[in-house]
């Protein structure tokens, strides 16, 4: 298990280098640069000096190598625009993003899993059809549009909730969390339902019923436990999405998170900030994935065995994660 | 939803072609049929709107009628220039559909061959392609698209490229997985024994047998692309107003959202309806192509 975790953490290194390469070059080669933006009123000499200081008088490869060198020394560089260390900037914005992501995942989990289970146990019923239609509608709504409409209704018309910023504690969190949560909920409900439907037909559930286990226990313990892997997978992926993809929602609600920082930085061609934030987002998403993979082992003893024994040999290419998906179904892989 | 018994009791009908069988199963799914109907109408509108819609209705300004709430004359109301939002939304179908389809064609053109090569050859080449795909997809696709637009510059073509490139990993993965399931089939071996080239085998023998997951992916991805493109417009890095693309209509309406929320409501509903239709058809296709996946 430990070896597996170490291996996964080491795998972050190529991801960091790859992501930094892609993003750095794209941002650096984009038209205009941050120095030109802040240097509008500077004298020629001052500007030339700054160009030299940040390596803009050399090639993009030079700047990239400089960036990588700093990266290996643990520095993500300094933002030209904000005049601050990029890591500090990121950490300053991270709590807001984490808060929003966890709140939306929480909303989604609390609503979607019971709904998915009910849809599966009442297969073909009105509840089932209605929840599937709702899920599909939720999946099809542009996030930012839902956010705007919620803001119009609850903030502007009814004056129940604030529509921007994070100054009103939990009240400010409600609308953004519902906005992000709706999309997540749709996927989770669908996955829960299809995973439960798979399990419900298994013989061991018939056995459990035959030996007189109460129906509630059959569903909530025997079935749910076995249906959990695709659900966890989706919760993990969706958490990742919420961490990296709430960019648009953060902009709708003026939420002071990482997503907004990235957009501001992109508009100001602040290469160091964009690259740094995207690297850190990618790392966060990878960490969530790793936690999901570790959770599999807690849910499924078969996988636990695989982690701790000769898993490396037989599963070298696929890894326990793929094995888990293979074991447990398709919606997880499809979604 | 017609229940399992029916599916079990109806084995593949003899005398029906594969396409006919697919259609037969697809047709039974009411949601998918509804989605298909909506799509046919939308695509019809997108292709023909230039011929029957008077441009004056779309761009003609009439300041005396500006910012009117929806009424009998202007079903969706009018914007700050007095332009009729209904006709602008109808005209916008053209942009949103085009962006969705072109973006997905771009992703498929890059992603499918990559996935096919990775799956077919295996070994180092596969590792290389798949690791690169992993790295690429470690960047959330919306951020990827934002970075690409800032590199290439802001216009419609670059928007399609950005949305398309950002979705390449999904196609690579789906194609590779599908190719892996058929690459050892006997007909592939037979083709190889006949001395066909690898490229011929991949494109003529393997890919046609991998089409179903790819087609499903295309349908679902068009939906995703329409949302991504409109999100970029909304963030101010996609299509600029006053082009009546749905995302930019919404963005333009955002300025007047206080008291004129209909300016954002209707373009958003248009996006939702379109995406919903694609999702319904995609789901229906998936169920029809692979009966095992049917709940």
């Amino acid at each position: 298990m430990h070896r597996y975790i170490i291996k996964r953490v080491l795998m972050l290194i190529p991801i960091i280098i790859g992501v930094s390469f892609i993003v750095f070059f794209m941002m650096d080669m984009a038209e205009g640069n941050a120095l030109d933006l802040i240097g509008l009123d500077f004298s020629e000499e001052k500007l030339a000096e700054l160009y030299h200081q940040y390596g803009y008088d050399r090639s993009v490869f030079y700047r990239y190598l400089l960036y990588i060198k700093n990266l290996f020394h643990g520095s993500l560089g300094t933002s030209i625009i904000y005049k601050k260390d990029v890591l500090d900037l990121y950490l300053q914005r991270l709590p807001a993003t984490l808060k929003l992501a966890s709140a939306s995942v929480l909303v989604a989990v609390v609503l979607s899993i019971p709904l998915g289970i009910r849809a599966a146990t009442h297969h073909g019923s009105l509840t089932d059809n209605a929840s599937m239609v709702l899920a599909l509608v939720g999946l099809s709504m542009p996030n930012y549009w839902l956010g705007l409409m919620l803001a119009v209704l609850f903030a502007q018309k009814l004056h129940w909730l604030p529509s921007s910023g994070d100054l009103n504690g939990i009240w400010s969190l409600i609308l953004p969390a519902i906005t992000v949560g709706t999309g997540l909920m749709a996927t989770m409900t669908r996955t829960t339902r299809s995973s439960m439907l798979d399990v419900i037909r298994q013989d061991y559930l018939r056995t459990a019923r035959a030996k007189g286990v109460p129906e509630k226990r059959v569903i909530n313990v025997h079935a749910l436990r076995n249906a959990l892997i695709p659900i966890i997978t989706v919760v993990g992926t969706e958490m990742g999405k919420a961490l990296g993809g709430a960019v648009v929602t953060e902009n709708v609600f003026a939420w002071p998170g990482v997503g907004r920082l990235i957009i501001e930085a992109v508009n100001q061609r602040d290469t160091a900030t964009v690259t740094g934030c995207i690297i850190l987002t990618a790392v966060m998403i990878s960490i969530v994935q790793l936690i999901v993979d570790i959770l599999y082992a807690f849910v499924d003893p078969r996988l636990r065995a695989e982690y701790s024994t000769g898993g490396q040999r037989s599963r070298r290419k696929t890894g326990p994660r793929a094995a888990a998906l293979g074991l447990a179904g398709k919606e997880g892989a499809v979604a | 939803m017609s229940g399992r018994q029916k599916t079990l009791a109806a084995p593949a009908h003899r005398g029906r072609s594969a396409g006919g069988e697919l259609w037969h199963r697809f047709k039974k799914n009411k949601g998918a049929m509804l989605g298909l109907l909506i799509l046919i109408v939308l695509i019809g509108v997108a292709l023909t709107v230039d011929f029957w819609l008077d441009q004056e209705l779309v761009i003609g300004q009439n300041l005396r009628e500006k910012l009117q709430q929806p009424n009998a004359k202007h079903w969706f109301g009018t914007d700050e220039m007095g332009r009729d939002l209904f006709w602008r939304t109808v005209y916008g179908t053209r942009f949103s559909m085009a962006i969705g389809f072109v973006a997905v064609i771009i992703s498929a053109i890059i992603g499918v061959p990559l996935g096919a090569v990775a799956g077919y050859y295996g070994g180092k080449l596969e590792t290389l392609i798949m690791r690169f795909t992993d790295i690429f997809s470690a960047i959330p696709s919306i951020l990827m698209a934002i970075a690409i637009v800032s590199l290439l510059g802001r216009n419609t073509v670059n928007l399609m490229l950005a949305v398309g490139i950002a979705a390449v990993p999904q196609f690579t993965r789906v194609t590779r997985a599908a190719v892996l399931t058929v690459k050892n089939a006997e007909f592939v071996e037979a083709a190889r024994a006949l001395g066909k080239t690898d490229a011929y085998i991949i494109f003529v023998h393997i890919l046609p047998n991998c089409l179903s997951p790819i087609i499903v992916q295309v349908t679902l991805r068009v939906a995703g692309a329409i949302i991504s493109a409109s999100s970029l417009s909304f963030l101010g890095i996609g299509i600029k107003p006053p082009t009546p693309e749905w995302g930019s209509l919404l963005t333009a309406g955002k300025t007047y959202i206080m008291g004129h929320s209909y300016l954002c409501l209707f373009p958003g509903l248009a996006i939702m309806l379109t995406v919903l239709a694609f999702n319904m058809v995609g789901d229906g296709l998936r169920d029809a192509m692979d009966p095992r996946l049917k709940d």
Side-chain angles (χ1 to χ4, degrees):
Chain A
M1 189 82 190
H2 294 295
R3 274 179 57 191
Y4 177 74
I5 295 176
I6 292 170
K7 206 175 116 197
R8 287 288 301 265
V9 171
L10 286 179
M11 268 163 62
L12 279 177
I13 296 173
I15 289 193
I16 292 175
I17 296 177
V19 169
S20 73
F21 181 82
I22 296 174
V23 180
F24 190 94
F25 274 81
M26 279 202 287
M27 286 316 295
D28 204 276
M29 284 157 67
E31 202 187 333
N33 68 46
L35 286 178
D36 290 336
L37 264 175
I38 61 163
L40 283 177
D41 320 319
F42 290 1
S43 65
E44 290 277 314
E45 295 86 54
K46 180 86 195 290
L47 203 57
E49 194 193 311
L50 278 175
Y51 260 70
H52 182 70
Q53 188 192 333
Y54 288 101
Y56 278 100
D57 52 349
R58 309 281 287 271
S59 78
V60 57
F61 295 98
Y62 174 80
R63 285 193 294 281
Y64 180 65
L65 288 179
L66 206 68
Y67 186 83
I68 287 292
K69 196 182 125 207
N70 285 333
L71 199 61
F72 277 100
H73 286 92
S75 160
L76 287 165
T78 314
S79 156
I80 297 180
I81 302 285
Y82 299 95
K83 311 243 175 345
K84 269 188 182 169
D85 192 71
V86 171
L87 186 63
D88 289 343
L89 270 176
Y90 179 83
L91 290 178
Q92 204 185 331
R93 300 292 193 102
L94 183 64
T97 292
L98 278 183
K99 200 156 77 174
L100 178 54
S102 354
S104 21
V105 170
L106 190 74
V107 169
V109 167
V110 167
L111 294 174
S112 68
I113 293 180
L115 195 62
I117 293 176
R118 210 185 141 76
T121 50
H122 298 69
H123 186 198
S125 71
L126 189 66
T127 329
D128 182 23
N129 291 331
S131 64
M132 282 307 101
V133 170
L134 271 181
L136 207 54
V137 170
L139 206 62
S140 309
M141 263 191 278
N143 230 311
Y144 58 92
W145 177 72
L146 175 66
L148 277 179
M149 291 300 120
L150 288 174
V152 166
L153 183 61
F154 290 104
Q156 194 192 319
K157 295 245 156 80
L158 300 170
H159 300 287
W160 286 356
L161 294 164
S163 68
S164 70
D166 68 337
L167 300 172
N168 297 299
I170 189 129
W171 297 108
S172 311
L173 190 59
I174 295 178
L175 289 183
I178 294 177
T179 306
V180 181
T182 305
L184 310 186
M185 196 179 128
T187 326
M188 286 185 206
T189 313
R190 282 156 62 104
T191 310
T192 309
R193 172 176 173 272
S194 74
S195 178
M196 282 297 278
L197 277 177
D198 257 6
V199 171
I200 275 175
R201 292 172 194 158
Q202 301 293 331
D203 288 338
Y204 53 76
L205 284 204
R206 206 170 300 146
T207 312
R209 279 194 196 105
K211 71 179 191 189
V213 177
E215 184 63 21
K216 234 185 177 159
R217 203 178 142 76
V218 171
I219 297 300
N220 292 333
V221 179
H222 294 246
L224 185 59
R225 229 194 127 146
N226 284 290
L228 219 47
I229 284 204
I231 302 177
I232 294 178
T233 312
V234 165
V235 173
T237 338
E238 300 297 305
M239 179 83 189
K241 259 193 222 160
L243 281 173
V247 181
V248 192
T249 311
E250 286 186 3
N251 274 277
V252 173
F253 291 101
W255 189 257
V258 179
R260 256 184 99 215
L261 177 65
I262 294 177
I263 298 291
E264 288 160 15
V266 165
N267 289 332
Q268 297 171 309
R269 296 283 177 268
D270 190 345
T271 309
T273 310
V274 177
T275 315
C277 288
I278 295 186
I279 289 177
L280 291 170
T281 304
V283 170
M284 291 288 289
I285 294 176
S286 306
I287 292 175
V288 172
Q289 298 278 330
L290 177 59
I291 295 174
V292 166
D293 285 355
I294 294 171
L295 274 181
Y296 288 155
F298 283 96
V299 174
D300 192 329
R302 284 169 299 184
L303 293 170
R304 199 159 26 203
E306 182 130 332
Y307 279 110
S308 49
T309 61
Q312 296 100 328
R313 217 183 40 183
S314 58
R315 297 277 174 207
R316 203 157 54 92
K317 276 227 172 91
T318 48
R321 181 183 171 75
L325 287 175
L327 276 176
K330 41 283 170 151
E331 182 77 6
V334 172
Chain B
M1 313 288 153
S2 52
R4 206 157 22 125
Q5 298 82 350
K6 235 184 221 170
T7 343
L8 288 178
H13 295 266
R14 289 186 192 285
R16 212 185 254 147
S17 68
E21 178 64 26
L22 182 73
W23 172 242
H24 178 72
R25 269 183 289 184
F26 184 85
K27 185 162 80 167
K28 281 198 280 193
N29 184 336
K30 285 188 206 113
M33 285 305 280
L34 179 65
L36 186 66
L37 191 71
I38 299 174
L39 276 194
I40 291 173
V41 172
L42 287 171
I43 294 174
V45 168
L47 289 176
T48 61
V49 71
D50 273 321
F51 300 112
W52 52 263
L53 186 59
D54 184 3
Q55 279 291 315
E56 196 46 37
L57 281 170
V58 181
I59 52 170
Q61 304 181 355
N62 181 357
L63 289 176
R64 264 172 305 171
E65 296 192 345
K66 70 172 183 178
L67 290 174
Q68 284 189 3
Q69 299 284 342
N71 57 46
K73 189 176 167 207
H74 302 291
W75 292 355
F76 290 0
T78 58
D79 68 4
E80 75 281 7
M81 296 294 189
R83 292 173 294 207
D84 185 288
L85 189 63
F86 176 73
W87 292 116
R88 286 176 72 72
T89 308
V90 169
Y91 195 66
T93 317
R94 187 173 164 269
F95 293 94
S96 298
M97 287 298 229
I99 292 171
F101 275 107
V102 175
V104 169
I105 289 171
I106 294 172
S107 343
I109 286 179
I110 307 175
V112 169
L114 276 179
V117 166
Y120 183 74
Y121 289 105
K124 288 221 172 70
L125 192 59
E126 180 185 29
T127 316
L128 186 75
I129 294 176
M130 294 328 284
R131 283 303 143 269
F132 193 76
T133 304
D134 286 346
I135 289 172
F136 203 84
S137 54
I139 306 172
S141 59
I142 186 97
L143 295 179
M144 190 56 144
I146 290 170
I148 297 173
V149 173
S150 26
L151 172 66
L152 298 176
R154 185 178 162 189
N155 63 45
T156 312
V157 176
N158 292 344
L159 179 71
M160 297 180 202
L161 267 174
V163 172
I165 293 174
V168 166
Q170 279 103 341
F171 278 91
T172 312
R173 292 219 175 95
V174 168
T175 311
R176 172 179 163 268
V179 168
L180 283 181
T181 60
V182 292
K183 81 164 180 182
N184 292 324
E186 275 148 15
F187 63 85
V188 175
E189 230 165 281
R192 215 174 286 141
L194 286 171
K196 303 287 185 199
T197 60
D198 284 351
Y200 185 87
I201 296 178
I202 291 177
F203 285 102
V204 178
H205 291 296
I206 295 187
L207 280 182
N209 283 293
C210 301
L211 272 187
S212 27
I214 297 176
I215 290 175
V216 171
Q217 194 67 11
V218 164
T219 325
L220 297 176
R221 278 295 125 201
V222 173
I226 290 176
I227 289 196
S228 306
S230 74
S231 310
L232 289 180
S233 298
F234 182 79
L235 289 173
I237 32 190
I239 291 185
K240 291 175 197 162
T243 310
E245 185 260 343
W246 293 333
S248 70
L249 282 180
L250 237 158
T251 317
K254 199 173 58 165
T255 324
Y256 301 92
I257 195 161
M258 293 284 188
H260 302 282
S261 45
Y262 59 88
L263 284 177
C264 290
L265 178 69
F266 293 110
L269 282 178
I271 299 176
M272 194 177 96
L273 184 71
T274 313
V275 173
L276 189 65
F278 274 108
N279 280 334
M280 290 195 290
V281 172
D283 280 1
L285 276 178
R286 184 167 60 200
D287 292 346
M289 283 174 169
D290 193 349
R292 278 176 302 128
L293 288 186
K294 180 148 174 63
D295 52 44

